[in-house]
Amino acid sequence: MKNLISINKRLGQTAFAFLLFTFSFSVVFAQPSPSAPRSGIIPAVKEKKLANGLTVAVVERKNVPLVTVQLLIKSGASSEDAAKAGLADMTASMLTKGTKTRTATQIAEQMEFLGGSINTGAGWNNSVVTLTVTSDKLDQAMAIMADVVLNPAFDQKELDLLKSQALDGLKYNLTQPGFLATYAASKYSFNEHPASGTPESIAGISRSVIVGFQKRNYIPRLGVLVFTGDVTSVKAIALSSKFFGLWKNSSRKESSPEENLAAAPPSYDRPLLKRILVVDLPNSGQAAVNYSKSLDSISRVKDNGGKSSSNFFFYSASVLNSLLGGGYSSRLNQEIRIKRGLSYGAGSNFAWRDWKTNFGTHTQTKNESAAEVTELVLAEIKRLVDTLATDTELLPRKSVLTGGFGRNLETTVGLAGAVSDLYTFGLPASELNSYSSTVNSITPEEVRDFATRNLYGGDIIIVGDYSIFKDDLAKRFPNITVDVIKASELDLSKGNLRK
């Protein structure tokens, strides 16, 4: 009897412990409602144009003795010829590899001595040189920055090393499904070339080609020098005049962007899926599944048409992207990873241009589930059109956007990048302070309208072992001809993408 009582007692304790754990679990993991959106006020952007055409933009913020200076050059991969893909990025990378008076090692050591950093890079729309240093070392650091921009040596040995490293990296990347899917989409879906270059284009970039690109594009009338942090506008303008005032413009032949000949009409009655491309990568561990669509009538550039302006569509697209694939709680990740366990993550993004934008989703999965994931991606895009999102669902997705934007502006580097982004697209500085309110004003109807107009008619690009998912893909998409290219035969310089 005592044993029975003891057993019952232990069972009671166990049941109580289980109930306590269950209660604690529900308390700990209950999802709280998002708090009311917070709006921060960004200090005014003070602007002055130097005699040579260089724009100086200053945002004073005195809370930390730190300054970021970013030189924006409104020229990037869009200004390079497709046969020289990767030229803009390689030119930017070479700037810190030595000048006429400093070696690459000396540049690195002198910046380290000042406790600062200097970085360069190029994207599709622009090239940037970014300097961050404590405010008391700004003068010395600016001297190095000016030397890097105005007097690059483009040493042949450094160039050979950089090209070798780029080719090694690209050789590895071209064995990775995720990279290959994005790489192929640049030509297949977006009618562009990969900004990182191709093996053929990188091999053909010579020192003289880099020198020519730098002379044509690194000129003051294409430049904006952005100062953010612990610096007054008076000092920033004085330093700009001191170090960049004698910078001269050179003749520059304007290049045409790689845009499509005609803008596509709104989607409306078009089928959701236009084409399927498979890049066959035998023995790959996983398959990448991407949906890619060029939005040829939507750009980042603002006009004065109010809510009908192209810039307004940027905010509709941003909220849509947060809902669809902008984080862990987004629809794609919820459906593909959390509910079904078919991937470690799924997301989406918009890549903005002066004249259009590129939309894409991205995920990786087992080869065996590539066709299934393709259906799931298309279903989520279709749901954006068929079903109106609720305000309850959109509120936390908007909070993700505004929260991330606000956190980014808390750093001098993030603030400089945000200001540079506005200048890249010719947008007013007031956009910084109106971002949160505009995001929060987007309605479910506007999200659905954007999806209806723009997201149908795209391409599915799958990179993986085709032999594994071939039959399943044909079964699920019986009315679509699948275009298959061996990964070893892929060549983006060719119209049919084949060597």
Side-chain angles (χ1 to χ4, degrees):
M1 187 70 176
K2 288 183 178 180
N3 290 336
L4 183 60
I5 293 174
S6 178
I7 291 172
N8 287 334
K9 184 177 181 181
R10 287 199 301 271
L11 287 174
Q13 291 172 339
T14 302
F16 177 77
F18 176 78
L19 290 173
L20 181 61
F21 171 79
T22 303
F23 175 77
S24 300
F25 186 89
S26 64
V27 170
V28 171
F29 289 91
Q31 185 174 1
S33 300
S35 59
R38 298 173 60 186
S39 59
I41 302 299
I42 310 302
V45 179
K46 300 176 182 178
E47 179 186 304
K48 180 178 176 61
K49 192 176 287 289
L50 302 186
N52 59 5
L54 177 66
T55 299
V56 181
V58 187
V59 182
E60 300 181 28
R61 180 172 275 169
K62 305 292 187 178
N63 56 332
V64 177
L66 201 66
V67 181
T68 290
V69 185
Q70 185 168 95
L71 175 65
L72 163 72
I73 298 294
K74 289 184 274 189
S75 181
S78 61
S79 298
E80 66 194 16
D81 187 79
K84 294 292 185 288
L87 174 58
D89 188 56
M90 192 159 288
T91 301
S93 298
M94 282 296 295
L95 295 179
T96 55
K97 303 300 182 184
T99 70
K100 296 173 183 177
T101 57
R102 293 177 172 91
T103 65
T105 301
Q106 288 173 329
I107 292 171
E109 289 177 345
Q110 289 176 18
M111 285 305 306
E112 184 179 8
F113 178 77
L114 295 175
S117 64
I118 186 167
N119 299 288
T120 61
W124 188 261
N125 302 302
N126 56 43
S127 303
V128 295
V129 180
T130 306
L131 166 75
T132 298
V133 71
T134 55
S135 50
D136 60 322
K137 303 291 195 305
L138 182 58
D139 294 62
Q140 301 99 302
M142 282 287 292
I144 299 173
M145 182 183 194
D147 193 29
V148 161
V149 174
L150 303 180
N151 303 304
F154 298 126
D155 180 77
Q156 186 64 52
K157 289 183 179 179
E158 292 285 355
L159 176 58
D160 292 341
L161 177 60
L162 182 63
K163 288 176 63 175
S164 176
Q165 293 170 337
L167 288 170
D168 285 346
L170 191 53
K171 181 179 180 181
Y172 170 77
N173 286 336
L174 289 175
T175 67
Q176 304 303 303
F179 179 89
L180 260 174
T182 303
Y183 183 82
S186 62
K187 180 67 175 179
Y188 185 75
S189 301
F190 303 140
N191 195 31
E192 297 177 350
H193 61 263
S196 58
T198 67
E200 296 78 15
S201 67
I202 290 174
I205 294 176
S206 64
R207 181 183 183 278
S208 62
V209 170
I210 288 180
V211 169
F213 185 87
Q214 191 266 346
K215 285 184 176 180
R216 289 191 306 273
N217 295 282
Y218 284 72
I219 54 178
R221 66 181 176 85
L222 291 180
V224 180
L225 200 57
V226 178
F227 291 77
T228 58
D230 186 23
V231 60
T232 65
S233 59
V234 173
K235 181 172 183 178
I237 292 168
L239 288 173
S240 301
S241 299
K242 176 182 177 181
F243 291 110
F244 291 96
L246 297 180
W247 189 10
K248 289 182 170 45
N249 288 289
S250 61
S251 59
R252 180 180 187 267
K253 182 181 178 180
E254 297 296 331
S255 58
S256 299
E258 294 181 30
E259 56 184 309
N260 294 331
L261 295 177
S267 296
Y268 299 122
D269 297 327
R270 285 193 293 168
L272 171 58
L273 179 60
K274 182 171 67 173
R275 301 177 294 180
I276 295 180
L277 171 68
V278 171
V279 179
D280 187 14
L281 189 64
N283 302 314
S284 63
Q286 289 189 323
V289 179
N290 288 16
Y291 180 83
S292 304
K293 172 77 185 338
S294 178
L295 280 57
D296 302 317
S297 58
I298 301 296
S299 74
R300 182 74 172 90
V301 180
K302 186 179 179 67
D303 61 33
N304 295 318
K307 280 202 170 186
S308 64
S309 74
S310 56
N311 188 56
F312 173 76
F313 289 134
F314 167 77
Y315 292 98
S316 299
S318 297
V319 175
L320 180 151
N321 188 66
S322 183
L323 173 67
L324 177 66
Y328 187 81
S329 299
S330 64
R331 287 181 173 182
L332 283 173
N333 200 63
Q334 286 273 0
E335 189 65 31
I336 296 172
R337 174 182 175 170
I338 298 173
K339 290 183 182 179
R340 301 172 187 265
L342 294 175
S343 175
Y344 285 113
S348 61
N349 69 285
F350 287 88
W352 296 90
R353 311 292 193 235
D354 279 340
W355 69 96
K356 67 166 190 171
T357 184
N358 297 333
F359 168 74
T361 71
H362 48 85
T363 188
Q364 287 194 182
T365 186
K366 297 177 297 184
N367 283 290
E368 291 82 356
S369 54
E372 179 185 0
V373 167
T374 298
E375 280 192 334
L376 294 173
V377 169
L378 294 172
E380 287 305 317
I381 294 173
K382 188 174 186 297
R383 186 154 73 102
L384 289 170
V385 173
D386 293 346
T387 306
L388 199 65
T390 64
D391 286 317
T392 303
E393 187 181 17
L394 283 187
L395 179 58
R397 305 316 305 160
K398 291 177 180 179
S399 296
V400 169
L401 289 175
T402 57
F405 183 77
R407 285 192 301 274
N408 187 52
L409 297 189
E410 288 299 315
T411 68
T412 57
V413 174
L415 182 54
V419 173
S420 292
D421 189 52
L422 297 178
Y423 277 98
T424 295
F425 295 106
L427 298 169
S430 59
E431 290 276 329
L432 289 177
N433 281 317
S434 64
Y435 177 87
S436 294
S437 60
T438 308
V439 164
N440 286 317
S441 73
I442 299 299
T443 65
E445 290 79 9
E446 287 163 341
V447 171
R448 183 173 64 181
D449 182 64
F450 184 93
T452 303
R453 288 174 175 271
N454 299 292
L455 297 193
Y456 271 39
D459 305 318
I460 282 289
I461 299 177
I462 307 175
V463 180
D465 192 332
Y466 184 47
S467 65
I468 297 176
F469 58 83
K470 176 180 179 180
D471 293 341
D472 193 22
L473 191 66
K475 179 181 178 181
R476 294 174 189 265
F477 299 93
N479 299 320
I480 295 183
T481 300
V482 179
D483 187 12
V484 182
I485 303 176
K486 288 285 188 182
S488 58
E489 298 174 358
L490 187 65
D491 185 347
L492 299 193
S493 68
K494 303 294 177 57
N496 65 358
L497 304 184
R498 292 166 170 82
K499 292 181 180 178

